[in-house]
mmCIF file of all heavy atoms in Angstrom:
data_model
loop_
_atom_site.group_PDB
_atom_site.id
_atom_site.type_symbol
_atom_site.label_atom_id
_atom_site.label_comp_id
_atom_site.label_asym_id
_atom_site.label_seq_id
_atom_site.Cartn_x
_atom_site.Cartn_y
_atom_site.Cartn_z
ATOM 1 N N VAL A 16 41.964 -49.013 6.440
ATOM 2 C CA VAL A 16 42.893 -48.809 5.332
ATOM 3 C C VAL A 16 43.339 -47.376 5.374
ATOM 4 O O VAL A 16 42.524 -46.435 5.284
ATOM 5 C CB VAL A 16 42.180 -49.095 4.049
ATOM 6 C CG1 VAL A 16 43.134 -48.879 2.864
ATOM 7 C CG2 VAL A 16 41.652 -50.526 4.010
ATOM 8 N N GLU A 17 44.615 -47.180 5.480
ATOM 9 C CA GLU A 17 45.212 -45.797 5.601
ATOM 10 C C GLU A 17 45.828 -45.379 4.283
ATOM 11 O O GLU A 17 46.249 -46.233 3.478
ATOM 12 C CB GLU A 17 46.290 -45.775 6.663
ATOM 13 C CG GLU A 17 45.831 -46.113 8.062
ATOM 14 C CD GLU A 17 46.863 -46.679 8.960
ATOM 15 O OE1 GLU A 17 47.905 -47.108 8.443
ATOM 16 O OE2 GLU A 17 46.639 -46.640 10.184
ATOM 17 N N SER A 18 45.823 -44.080 4.030
ATOM 18 C CA SER A 18 46.474 -43.565 2.882
ATOM 19 C C SER A 18 47.101 -42.187 3.232
ATOM 20 O O SER A 18 46.775 -41.621 4.284
ATOM 21 C CB SER A 18 45.474 -43.327 1.758
ATOM 22 O OG SER A 18 44.454 -42.461 2.111
ATOM 23 N N GLY A 19 48.014 -41.757 2.425
ATOM 24 C CA GLY A 19 48.775 -40.575 2.692
ATOM 25 C C GLY A 19 50.099 -40.960 3.303
ATOM 26 O O GLY A 19 50.524 -42.163 3.278
ATOM 27 N N GLY A 20 50.827 -40.044 3.837
ATOM 28 C CA GLY A 20 52.137 -40.287 4.375
ATOM 29 C C GLY A 20 53.220 -40.121 3.331
ATOM 30 O O GLY A 20 52.902 -40.023 2.121
ATOM 31 N N GLY A 21 54.460 -40.151 3.793
ATOM 32 C CA GLY A 21 55.577 -39.958 2.880
ATOM 33 C C GLY A 21 56.578 -39.006 3.440
ATOM 34 O O GLY A 21 56.716 -38.830 4.625
ATOM 35 N N LEU A 22 57.236 -38.311 2.556
ATOM 36 C CA LEU A 22 58.364 -37.409 2.904
ATOM 37 C C LEU A 22 57.910 -36.013 2.644
ATOM 38 O O LEU A 22 57.309 -35.651 1.607
ATOM 39 C CB LEU A 22 59.571 -37.681 2.084
ATOM 40 C CG LEU A 22 60.786 -36.783 2.215
ATOM 41 C CD1 LEU A 22 61.344 -36.983 3.639
ATOM 42 C CD2 LEU A 22 61.874 -37.072 1.238
ATOM 43 N N VAL A 23 58.137 -35.129 3.644
ATOM 44 C CA VAL A 23 57.775 -33.710 3.497
ATOM 45 C C VAL A 23 58.861 -32.893 4.197
ATOM 46 O O VAL A 23 59.516 -33.362 5.141
ATOM 47 C CB VAL A 23 56.407 -33.471 4.150
ATOM 48 C CG1 VAL A 23 56.384 -33.738 5.669
ATOM 49 C CG2 VAL A 23 55.890 -32.050 3.843
ATOM 50 N N GLY A 27 56.101 -27.944 6.047
ATOM 51 C CA GLY A 27 55.155 -28.387 5.045
ATOM 52 C C GLY A 27 53.916 -28.979 5.651
ATOM 53 O O GLY A 27 53.715 -29.037 6.841
ATOM 54 N N SER A 28 53.045 -29.431 4.755
ATOM 55 C CA SER A 28 51.709 -30.016 5.158
ATOM 56 C C SER A 28 51.529 -31.350 4.552
ATOM 57 O O SER A 28 52.096 -31.714 3.501
ATOM 58 C CB SER A 28 50.572 -29.116 4.709
ATOM 59 O OG SER A 28 50.627 -27.837 5.355
ATOM 60 N N MET A 29 50.717 -32.137 5.197
ATOM 61 C CA MET A 29 50.411 -33.506 4.709
ATOM 62 C C MET A 29 49.049 -33.927 5.286
ATOM 63 O O MET A 29 48.707 -33.517 6.383
ATOM 64 C CB MET A 29 51.481 -34.475 5.159
ATOM 65 C CG MET A 29 51.331 -35.881 4.637
ATOM 66 S SD MET A 29 52.706 -36.910 5.119
ATOM 67 C CE MET A 29 53.985 -36.285 3.956
ATOM 68 N N ARG A 30 48.348 -34.762 4.493
ATOM 69 C CA ARG A 30 47.032 -35.202 4.949
ATOM 70 C C ARG A 30 46.995 -36.745 4.909
ATOM 71 O O ARG A 30 47.350 -37.392 3.903
ATOM 72 C CB ARG A 30 45.923 -34.652 4.048
ATOM 73 C CG ARG A 30 44.551 -34.942 4.541
ATOM 74 C CD ARG A 30 43.503 -34.299 3.629
ATOM 75 N NE ARG A 30 42.120 -34.487 4.054
ATOM 76 C CZ ARG A 30 41.484 -33.660 4.937
ATOM 77 N NH1 ARG A 30 42.131 -32.584 5.370
ATOM 78 N NH2 ARG A 30 40.269 -33.905 5.278
ATOM 79 N N LEU A 31 46.600 -37.319 6.076
ATOM 80 C CA LEU A 31 46.425 -38.749 6.204
ATOM 81 C C LEU A 31 44.965 -39.030 6.203
ATOM 82 O O LEU A 31 44.152 -38.278 6.764
ATOM 83 C CB LEU A 31 47.055 -39.292 7.480
ATOM 84 C CG LEU A 31 48.552 -38.910 7.696
ATOM 85 C CD1 LEU A 31 49.005 -39.508 9.031
ATOM 86 C CD2 LEU A 31 49.405 -39.394 6.549
ATOM 87 N N SER A 32 44.559 -40.177 5.602
ATOM 88 C CA SER A 32 43.213 -40.578 5.616
ATOM 89 C C SER A 32 43.106 -42.038 5.986
ATOM 90 O O SER A 32 44.076 -42.832 5.810
ATOM 91 C CB SER A 32 42.517 -40.404 4.238
ATOM 92 O OG SER A 32 42.471 -39.020 3.919
ATOM 93 N N CYS A 33 41.967 -42.370 6.577
ATOM 94 C CA CYS A 33 41.762 -43.791 6.992
ATOM 95 C C CYS A 33 40.285 -44.097 6.843
ATOM 96 O O CYS A 33 39.409 -43.306 7.265
ATOM 97 C CB CYS A 33 42.178 -43.910 8.470
ATOM 98 S SG CYS A 33 41.800 -45.488 9.215
ATOM 99 N N TRP A 47 44.093 -41.070 15.768
ATOM 100 C CA TRP A 47 45.438 -41.280 15.207
ATOM 101 C C TRP A 47 46.441 -41.403 16.360
ATOM 102 O O TRP A 47 46.401 -40.532 17.302
ATOM 103 C CB TRP A 47 45.803 -40.094 14.285
ATOM 104 C CG TRP A 47 45.028 -40.113 12.989
ATOM 105 C CD1 TRP A 47 43.851 -39.416 12.736
ATOM 106 C CD2 TRP A 47 45.362 -40.828 11.792
ATOM 107 N NE1 TRP A 47 43.478 -39.664 11.463
ATOM 108 C CE2 TRP A 47 44.295 -40.553 10.884
ATOM 109 C CE3 TRP A 47 46.371 -41.704 11.440
ATOM 110 C CZ2 TRP A 47 44.340 -41.090 9.590
ATOM 111 C CZ3 TRP A 47 46.376 -42.255 10.185
ATOM 112 C CH2 TRP A 47 45.337 -41.919 9.269
ATOM 113 N N ILE A 62 38.548 -38.344 17.838
ATOM 114 C CA ILE A 62 37.260 -37.795 17.475
ATOM 115 C C ILE A 62 36.203 -38.740 17.978
ATOM 116 O O ILE A 62 36.304 -39.974 17.879
ATOM 117 C CB ILE A 62 37.186 -37.470 16.023
ATOM 118 C CG1 ILE A 62 35.936 -36.614 15.628
ATOM 119 C CG2 ILE A 62 37.200 -38.764 15.160
ATOM 120 C CD1 ILE A 62 35.989 -35.984 14.268
ATOM 121 N N ARG A 78 48.318 -27.296 15.035
ATOM 122 C CA ARG A 78 48.957 -27.624 13.784
ATOM 123 C C ARG A 78 48.233 -28.786 13.099
ATOM 124 O O ARG A 78 48.178 -28.794 11.857
ATOM 125 C CB ARG A 78 50.437 -28.036 14.082
ATOM 126 C CG ARG A 78 51.250 -26.996 14.700
ATOM 127 C CD ARG A 78 52.764 -27.401 14.795
ATOM 128 N NE ARG A 78 52.975 -28.590 15.582
ATOM 129 C CZ ARG A 78 53.500 -29.720 15.112
ATOM 130 N NH1 ARG A 78 53.889 -29.836 13.875
ATOM 131 N NH2 ARG A 78 53.638 -30.730 15.978
ATOM 132 N N PHE A 79 47.732 -29.731 13.824
ATOM 133 C CA PHE A 79 47.047 -30.858 13.287
ATOM 134 C C PHE A 79 45.572 -30.766 13.555
ATOM 135 O O PHE A 79 45.127 -30.224 14.579
ATOM 136 C CB PHE A 79 47.495 -32.162 13.903
ATOM 137 C CG PHE A 79 48.917 -32.574 13.622
ATOM 138 C CD1 PHE A 79 49.802 -31.695 12.954
ATOM 139 C CD2 PHE A 79 49.376 -33.832 13.979
ATOM 140 C CE1 PHE A 79 51.069 -32.094 12.689
ATOM 141 C CE2 PHE A 79 50.672 -34.244 13.661
ATOM 142 C CZ PHE A 79 51.544 -33.341 13.033
ATOM 143 N N THR A 80 44.751 -31.291 12.626
ATOM 144 C CA THR A 80 43.288 -31.305 12.784
ATOM 145 C C THR A 80 42.722 -32.645 12.375
ATOM 146 O O THR A 80 42.961 -33.066 11.236
ATOM 147 C CB THR A 80 42.640 -30.210 11.950
ATOM 148 O OG1 THR A 80 43.200 -28.910 12.322
ATOM 149 C CG2 THR A 80 41.121 -30.136 12.180
ATOM 150 N N ILE A 81 41.996 -33.233 13.272
ATOM 151 C CA ILE A 81 41.317 -34.520 13.000
ATOM 152 C C ILE A 81 39.922 -34.224 12.524
ATOM 153 O O ILE A 81 39.242 -33.307 13.093
ATOM 154 C CB ILE A 81 41.362 -35.482 14.189
ATOM 155 C CG1 ILE A 81 40.861 -36.863 13.724
ATOM 156 C CG2 ILE A 81 40.590 -34.923 15.347
ATOM 157 C CD1 ILE A 81 41.063 -37.936 14.834
ATOM 158 N N SER A 82 39.429 -34.931 11.555
ATOM 159 C CA SER A 82 38.046 -34.734 11.103
ATOM 160 C C SER A 82 37.543 -36.085 10.587
ATOM 161 O O SER A 82 38.252 -37.034 10.356
ATOM 162 C CB SER A 82 37.970 -33.703 10.026
ATOM 163 O OG SER A 82 38.716 -34.101 8.876
ATOM 164 N N THR A 83 36.206 -36.163 10.442
ATOM 165 C CA THR A 83 35.595 -37.383 9.994
ATOM 166 C C THR A 83 34.400 -37.101 9.121
ATOM 167 O O THR A 83 33.849 -35.983 9.159
ATOM 168 C CB THR A 83 35.158 -38.287 11.175
ATOM 169 O OG1 THR A 83 34.781 -39.523 10.717
ATOM 170 C CG2 THR A 83 34.039 -37.602 11.944
ATOM 171 N N ASP A 84 33.999 -38.108 8.371
ATOM 172 C CA ASP A 84 32.734 -37.958 7.600
ATOM 173 C C ASP A 84 31.530 -38.284 8.532
ATOM 174 O O ASP A 84 31.729 -38.430 9.743
ATOM 175 C CB ASP A 84 32.755 -38.829 6.382
ATOM 176 C CG ASP A 84 32.753 -40.317 6.739
ATOM 177 O OD1 ASP A 84 32.891 -40.654 7.892
ATOM 178 O OD2 ASP A 84 32.636 -41.129 5.854
ATOM 179 N N THR A 89 35.291 -42.853 8.185
ATOM 180 C CA THR A 89 36.490 -42.278 7.503
ATOM 181 C C THR A 89 37.002 -41.139 8.324
ATOM 182 O O THR A 89 36.240 -40.301 8.780
ATOM 183 C CB THR A 89 36.103 -41.771 6.118
ATOM 184 O OG1 THR A 89 35.577 -42.821 5.342
ATOM 185 C CG2 THR A 89 37.290 -41.198 5.426
ATOM 186 N N VAL A 90 38.270 -41.145 8.626
ATOM 187 C CA VAL A 90 38.873 -40.158 9.407
ATOM 188 C C VAL A 90 40.115 -39.589 8.726
ATOM 189 O O VAL A 90 40.820 -40.347 8.082
ATOM 190 C CB VAL A 90 39.265 -40.659 10.852
ATOM 191 C CG1 VAL A 90 40.314 -41.744 10.760
ATOM 192 C CG2 VAL A 90 39.707 -39.534 11.738
ATOM 193 N N SER A 91 40.342 -38.281 8.817
ATOM 194 C CA SER A 91 41.480 -37.674 8.223
ATOM 195 C C SER A 91 42.261 -36.912 9.272
ATOM 196 O O SER A 91 41.729 -36.533 10.325
ATOM 197 C CB SER A 91 41.041 -36.690 7.127
ATOM 198 O OG SER A 91 40.383 -37.330 6.065
ATOM 199 N N LEU A 92 43.536 -36.751 9.014
ATOM 200 C CA LEU A 92 44.401 -35.953 9.892
ATOM 201 C C LEU A 92 45.140 -34.953 8.971
ATOM 202 O O LEU A 92 46.010 -35.394 8.195
ATOM 203 C CB LEU A 92 45.403 -36.836 10.619
ATOM 204 C CG LEU A 92 46.315 -36.131 11.629
ATOM 205 C CD1 LEU A 92 45.431 -35.639 12.820
ATOM 206 C CD2 LEU A 92 47.395 -37.030 12.154
ATOM 207 N N GLN A 93 44.756 -33.713 9.075
ATOM 208 C CA GLN A 93 45.457 -32.673 8.375
ATOM 209 C C GLN A 93 46.617 -32.148 9.206
ATOM 210 O O GLN A 93 46.436 -31.724 10.324
ATOM 211 C CB GLN A 93 44.534 -31.513 8.032
ATOM 212 C CG GLN A 93 45.160 -30.337 7.327
ATOM 213 C CD GLN A 93 45.686 -30.746 5.961
ATOM 214 O OE1 GLN A 93 44.981 -31.456 5.233
ATOM 215 N NE2 GLN A 93 46.871 -30.274 5.551
ATOM 216 N N MET A 94 47.850 -32.254 8.710
ATOM 217 C CA MET A 94 49.028 -31.894 9.424
ATOM 218 C C MET A 94 49.702 -30.742 8.767
ATOM 219 O O MET A 94 50.106 -30.828 7.610
ATOM 220 C CB MET A 94 49.965 -33.102 9.491
ATOM 221 C CG MET A 94 49.346 -34.351 10.117
ATOM 222 S SD MET A 94 50.504 -35.723 10.283
ATOM 223 C CE MET A 94 50.880 -36.052 8.536
ATOM 224 N N ASN A 95 49.791 -29.640 9.463
ATOM 225 C CA ASN A 95 50.427 -28.408 8.975
ATOM 226 C C ASN A 95 51.635 -28.053 9.815
ATOM 227 O O ASN A 95 51.781 -28.599 10.932
ATOM 228 C CB ASN A 95 49.417 -27.234 9.000
ATOM 229 C CG ASN A 95 48.245 -27.508 8.102
ATOM 230 O OD1 ASN A 95 48.298 -28.151 7.044
ATOM 231 N ND2 ASN A 95 47.073 -27.022 8.500
ATOM 232 N N SER A 96 52.475 -27.230 9.291
ATOM 233 C CA SER A 96 53.664 -26.731 10.005
ATOM 234 C C SER A 96 54.448 -27.911 10.601
ATOM 235 O O SER A 96 54.776 -27.918 11.815
ATOM 236 C CB SER A 96 53.246 -25.733 11.140
ATOM 237 O OG SER A 96 52.567 -24.674 10.584
ATOM 238 N N LEU A 97 54.710 -28.875 9.801
ATOM 239 C CA LEU A 97 55.334 -30.071 10.281
ATOM 240 C C LEU A 97 56.757 -29.831 10.768
ATOM 241 O O LEU A 97 57.465 -28.981 10.222
ATOM 242 C CB LEU A 97 55.320 -31.131 9.168
ATOM 243 C CG LEU A 97 53.984 -31.842 9.029
ATOM 244 C CD1 LEU A 97 53.847 -32.493 7.647
ATOM 245 C CD2 LEU A 97 53.759 -32.839 10.117
ATOM 246 N N TYR A 105 52.426 -43.396 11.622
ATOM 247 C CA TYR A 105 51.131 -42.993 12.089
ATOM 248 C C TYR A 105 50.103 -44.100 11.896
ATOM 249 O O TYR A 105 49.999 -44.700 10.851
ATOM 250 C CB TYR A 105 50.680 -41.721 11.339
ATOM 251 C CG TYR A 105 51.424 -40.502 11.817
ATOM 252 C CD1 TYR A 105 52.725 -40.259 11.478
ATOM 253 C CD2 TYR A 105 50.741 -39.523 12.540
ATOM 254 C CE1 TYR A 105 53.408 -39.179 11.926
ATOM 255 C CE2 TYR A 105 51.352 -38.417 13.039
ATOM 256 C CZ TYR A 105 52.709 -38.227 12.704
ATOM 257 O OH TYR A 105 53.376 -37.133 13.172
ATOM 258 N N THR A 133 51.252 -45.851 8.539
ATOM 259 C CA THR A 133 51.840 -45.177 7.362
ATOM 260 C C THR A 133 52.933 -44.252 7.825
ATOM 261 O O THR A 133 52.742 -43.490 8.798
ATOM 262 C CB THR A 133 50.727 -44.405 6.570
ATOM 263 O OG1 THR A 133 51.286 -43.869 5.388
ATOM 264 C CG2 THR A 133 50.153 -43.273 7.428
ATOM 265 N N PRO A 134 54.083 -44.318 7.187
ATOM 266 C CA PRO A 134 55.252 -43.497 7.660
ATOM 267 C C PRO A 134 55.155 -42.077 7.222
ATOM 268 O O PRO A 134 54.776 -41.753 6.119
ATOM 269 C CB PRO A 134 56.440 -44.213 7.071
ATOM 270 C CG PRO A 134 55.866 -44.822 5.812
ATOM 271 C CD PRO A 134 54.432 -45.166 6.099
ATOM 272 N N VAL A 135 55.523 -41.208 8.114
ATOM 273 C CA VAL A 135 55.654 -39.756 7.842
ATOM 274 C C VAL A 135 57.050 -39.350 8.211
ATOM 275 O O VAL A 135 57.468 -39.561 9.323
ATOM 276 C CB VAL A 135 54.630 -38.937 8.577
ATOM 277 C CG1 VAL A 135 54.899 -37.470 8.367
ATOM 278 C CG2 VAL A 135 53.210 -39.287 8.170
ATOM 279 N N THR A 136 57.798 -38.779 7.254
ATOM 280 C CA THR A 136 59.139 -38.332 7.508
ATOM 281 C C THR A 136 59.246 -36.857 7.220
ATOM 282 O O THR A 136 58.891 -36.422 6.042
ATOM 283 C CB THR A 136 60.147 -39.092 6.629
ATOM 284 O OG1 THR A 136 60.045 -40.496 6.897
ATOM 285 C CG2 THR A 136 61.598 -38.618 6.995
ATOM 286 N N VAL A 137 59.679 -36.053 8.189
ATOM 287 C CA VAL A 137 59.755 -34.642 8.016
ATOM 288 C C VAL A 137 61.274 -34.315 7.960
ATOM 289 O O VAL A 137 62.001 -34.569 8.916
ATOM 290 C CB VAL A 137 59.114 -33.868 9.185
ATOM 291 C CG1 VAL A 137 59.228 -32.342 8.915
ATOM 292 C CG2 VAL A 137 57.706 -34.276 9.289
#
Side-chain angles (χ1 to χ4, degrees):
V16 179
E17 298 156 343
S18 61
L22 178 66
V23 64
S28 298
M29 182 176 287
R30 187 177 183 89
L31 305 180
S32 295
C33 172
W47 289 94
I62 191 164
R78 300 188 298 121
F79 292 11
T80 303
I81 189 171
S82 61
T83 188
D84 66 353
T89 301
V90 65
S91 296
L92 184 69
Q93 179 64 42
M94 305 184 293
N95 298 327
S96 301
L97 283 160
Y105 283 72
T133 185
V135 173
T136 302
V137 183

